[in-house]
Amino acid sequence: MTKPSLIRVRPALDAASQFRTLRDVARLISSSGDLDLTLQQLIYAACQNPLWAMGSVMSVDQKSGYAQVMTRYDPTLLETSLESRWSLATSPALVALSRNEPVVIADAFLAREFPGYRKEAVERGYHTVVVMPMGCADAEGRSMVLTVQSRDVVAVGEEELTFLSSIVHLGVIAVEKSHRLRADRLLTERLQTALSVHSTLLSQVLSDGSVSSAAAMIGQLFPNPVIAIDFSASLVVPGRSPRPELYDDTAWQAAVRAAFGRQLMHAARLAIDKSGEGPRELFLDDGHARLRTTVKIEPLSVDGEAVGALIVFPRSEVLEELDHLLLESAKFALSVQMMRSFVRFQNESRTLTDLFTEVFEGRWRDAEDVAARARRLGVDPSLPARLIAIGSGASPKAALSIDVHRSIGRIVQYHHKDGCVVTLGDTILCHVPPRQPAKADRSDPLIRNIIEETVRILGEEPILVEVGLQGGLDDYPAAWERCQRITTLARRFGRYGALTAHDFGPFPLLLAAVNASEVKLFIDSSIGAMVRHDAKRGTAYVDTLSKYLGAGCRSQACADAMSLHVTTLRYRLARIRELFNIELDTQEQRFSLELAIRLHASLRGPPSLA
């Protein structure tokens, strides 16, 4: 059993010497930005007191459970391998931090609660130990402590602890100064990086590069993973993977091109339409895995028209100020690249738009001059053709975007090299050759492709109206008027998809002249109960009544046309009178019912293509 050592009382530094020591340390902190040198001087100053022979500064990583020596002072240190990493379970450092007060070990030789210290104390020959919490953290956020050791067992008084506390306070000042200098240095480096990125992107813009090359450069220079989207070209350019644990960069780019591209395009359009700011939840599904992440969607606009978007995957919920600076540079570069394409498109389409506006309004003076100008633009008004008008079903003011126009233009060029596409107000208009005689109205692949592409971009079915042209300028104003009238009818009565005048039966002029709610009220009051009954029970009373009225209310002729026994027909008609209070006694009643049935059929329309 080890005998306890006798406590020796050694003379401490006098007050003047203590002040000189603190002054020297303060001067060093003021003049030097080297934290390691300052900490070494700090330990040296503490060990100028005859009580202390050695000391150290340690960082405490509570997550890993270890304390690490940052710097130590021992003038008698031999060339031996010393322990520099301590388990917190055997170190008093954690006790000092948890209590936020000094821990004094009178004799480390006898410290059974700290076996690590006890072992090293025997090896290095020290007894009394003081562990002081510093109340600051190193560059990695780990708490710091200062320790001093004595060769003898000494009495540690209040005056000595006060002196050590002053040393520790100076150390805190030194650490905080080091952190500020480091932060300033990092800020300067990031500012220089931001300026360099801005210059590089500006050079890229001035060199007339493509959107893809600009997006690829932004992906390399921007600290966050990004995706650039060009609406007008239906282009999605992915950068680095935002989730490396799920996709490496190559796999991520392949996934965006294969499955995520449309979802990202739709999410970008939706975010811009809602005009919201801040992070958004993004859900992606490639059929095998689902990815949920937070993004920031920045619109790219030219003349108030949204031409694209930049999707940013933030490292944190809030972008830092310099990240915003880099983001604005990236948006500027991409917007300029897209502006070139936008301006070229506007110049190309403006001439055609002016031509069709003049023709539809009948404002020409010289028909030959207009026809010659049209032929120079690839349109021969003397030949049979067809107009296909595409509009949004939302409202008459909901103009379709430039990317819808371009997508439809690519489809038209694929099917008809001599077709053209223009935008007139809220409508996209296609001028294409006439149908092949053998094709049914709704089997035309051009119509089907246009509707599918518009649904893909907008997420809703458009109104598509087709009108034939026999040839000659005089046919164009009337055809355009029919397109507008049918589009108005479709919006008024909630019809979507491919429509013609025949879809509204013989009543398009009548329907265009009356209020939609009044028409619906008339239909509902006449046959509404019967329609709902057929839909719910699977009966065919409306069809039976329609056939009966169509046969001039002749029972035998109607029964023969429906392949029914006349008794069965009469039973159905009796049920119609009984269930729905329908009377067919007068000519006015029969006309009202037939009109309601025909209007209902006109408004219900055929099944949707989409």
Side-chain angles (χ1 to χ4, degrees), residues 324-343:
H324 279 292
L325 179 61
L326 291 173
L327 182 60
E328 291 302 318
S329 298
K331 289 171 59 179
F332 169 75
L334 286 173
S335 295
V336 171
Q337 295 289 4
M338 293 180 186
M339 179 179 66
R340 292 194 179 100
S341 176
F342 179 81
V343 170

Side-chain angles (χ1 to χ4, degrees), residues 93 147 190 203 367 436 439 458 501 517 572:
T147 67
R190 294 193 62 194
S203 300
Q436 299 178 12
K439 285 190 176 292
L458 299 181
S517 60
R572 290 188 184 180

Side-chain angles (χ1 to χ4, degrees), residues 214-344:
M217 181 175 294
I218 290 169
Q220 294 175 355
L221 298 176
F222 199 66
N224 304 74
V226 297
I227 292 177
I229 295 179
D230 185 351
F231 291 155
S232 60
S234 294
L235 182 66
V236 180
V237 184
R240 303 189 310 275
S241 171
R243 300 286 295 274
E245 71 278 10
L246 299 178
Y247 300 90
D248 60 24
D249 291 347
T250 303
W252 169 250
Q253 293 163 10
V256 170
R257 286 189 292 268
F260 293 157
R262 287 189 174 187
Q263 300 170 49
L264 290 165
M265 185 86 71
H266 178 70
R269 287 195 183 95
L270 188 64
I272 292 173
D273 290 343
K274 291 185 176 180
S275 302
E277 296 184 357
R280 296 174 178 273
E281 288 290 331
L282 180 65
F283 300 89
L284 300 174
D285 188 347
D286 63 358
H288 302 287
R290 294 182 178 180
L291 176 65
R292 176 179 178 179
T293 185
T294 301
V295 299
K296 186 174 177 62
I297 299 178
E298 295 286 340
L300 304 174
S301 303
V302 175
D303 290 342
E305 175 82 18
V307 296
L310 186 65
I311 299 180
V312 183
F313 296 84
R315 293 170 296 182
S316 59
E317 291 187 2
V318 180
L319 288 177
E320 297 179 5
E321 185 175 353
L322 284 177
D323 290 336
H324 279 292
L325 179 61
L326 291 173
L327 182 60
E328 291 302 318
S329 298
K331 289 171 59 179
F332 169 75
L334 286 173
S335 295
V336 171
Q337 295 289 4
M338 293 180 186
M339 179 179 66
R340 292 194 179 100
S341 176
F342 179 81
V343 170
R344 282 195 294 267

Side-chain angles (χ1 to χ4, degrees), residues 411-423:
I411 293 172
V412 168
Q413 286 297 307
Y414 175 78
H415 289 278
H416 302 287
K417 295 296 183 184
D418 51 351
C420 67
V421 180
V422 298
T423 296

